Amino acid sequence: MKNGGFTLIELAIVLVVIGLLLGIGAGMIGPLIKRTKYQETRERLKANVESLIGYALTHGGKLPARCTNNIRYLKDAWGKDIQCIIERKLTLQSICKINHTTLKVKDENEANTNQEIAFILLSSGPNYNLQTNIKRRIIYIHKSGKKIDDYCSSSKDPCRPEAYDDIPEYILLNQIKTILFKTGICK
């Protein structure tokens, strides 16, 4: 007569299957968390861009001298400071009157690589290695994954080549001028 219970072999098979499922699931958690933090940081940077554009709209077309009091998020999803660089001329007079900036971007991901920008916001991404190079008011943005380390600044940012994973968000001078013209700030 059978008892209706499980044999040791059946229990062992079930445990092996559960172990495999847990192992696969645990292996997927890391990449999912990284992707979620990457997306959250992108959203924070975009919200900060909107904050700076909003500042310009309410202050006669000028940008703030410092970002820290005028952006929504000071830190990225990894808890690291968001870097903010603003074209100084745009903090002193209306963007409407400015035709050129000294702040330029060379973006390997864009065809037109020498654009004049109003401001840029940067996250160093998952590592502590801010790899976006800033030389003579020119900001060099590399292709994602390129092994590079052009910028070492502190003990948290050792000099070692790693895959480029910085997250930049910038606004061209012409883009912000267009917004100001559409809203009537610039005439």
Side-chain angles (χ1 to χ4, degrees):
M1 228 199 248
K2 275 198 149 189
N3 248 355
F6 296 106
T7 66
L8 286 175
I9 293 175
E10 290 170 333
L11 284 174
I13 291 171
V14 168
L15 289 175
V16 166
V17 169
I18 289 173
L20 286 172
L21 292 174
L22 286 174
I24 291 169
M28 292 173 59
I29 289 174
L32 287 174
I33 289 172
K34 184 177 179 179
R35 188 169 70 205
T36 301
K37 286 190 176 197
Y38 186 87
Q39 278 305 115
E40 183 181 340
T41 296
R42 274 240 176 262
E43 289 170 12
R44 287 182 183 202
L45 292 173
K46 287 180 184 200
N48 286 347
V49 165
E50 295 299 322
S51 296
L52 292 172
I53 290 171
Y55 183 96
L57 290 171
T58 57
H59 290 84
K62 290 183 185 178
L63 288 172
R66 293 181 54 209
C67 287
T68 52
N69 297 333
N70 301 292
I71 57 176
R72 290 181 58 190
Y73 301 101
L74 296 175
K75 300 203 178 279
D76 62 16
W78 292 277
K80 294 177 281 181
D81 292 339
I82 291 174
Q83 306 295 316
C84 178
I85 304 168
I86 298 176
E87 169 63 48
R88 191 172 184 319
K89 287 195 279 188
L90 304 180
T91 67
L92 302 172
Q93 59 181 319
S94 175
I95 295 166
C96 307
K97 298 176 182 177
I98 306 292
N99 293 320
H100 300 285
T101 65
T102 60
L103 192 58
K104 300 194 183 319
V105 67
K106 290 194 180 239
D107 190 341
E108 291 180 359
N109 301 299
E110 298 291 327
N112 194 351
T113 62
N114 198 13
Q115 299 285 332
E116 295 182 356
I117 62 172
F119 59 85
I120 186 167
L121 298 158
L122 288 166
S123 163
S124 63
N127 63 22
Y128 282 101
N129 199 1
L130 184 63
Q131 298 153 303
T132 301
N133 190 340
I134 304 163
K135 289 183 184 173
R136 296 189 185 116
R137 308 284 294 161
I138 299 173
I139 300 162
Y140 296 90
I141 298 172
H142 305 284
K143 287 189 186 262
S144 184
K146 182 177 182 179
K147 293 276 188 184
I148 192 154
D149 190 2
D150 283 346
Y151 183 78
C152 320
S153 64
S154 69
S155 61
K156 286 186 175 181
D157 183 13
C159 292
R160 65 182 182 277
E162 293 182 295
Y164 182 81
D165 66 351
D166 291 1
I167 307 167
E169 197 67 43
Y170 58 87
I171 291 293
L172 302 174
L173 177 62
N174 290 336
Q175 288 175 313
I176 198 165
K177 280 179 97 168
T178 300
I179 293 167
L180 294 174
F181 272 109
K182 285 182 181 177
T183 58
I185 302 292
C186 294
K187 295 178 173 118

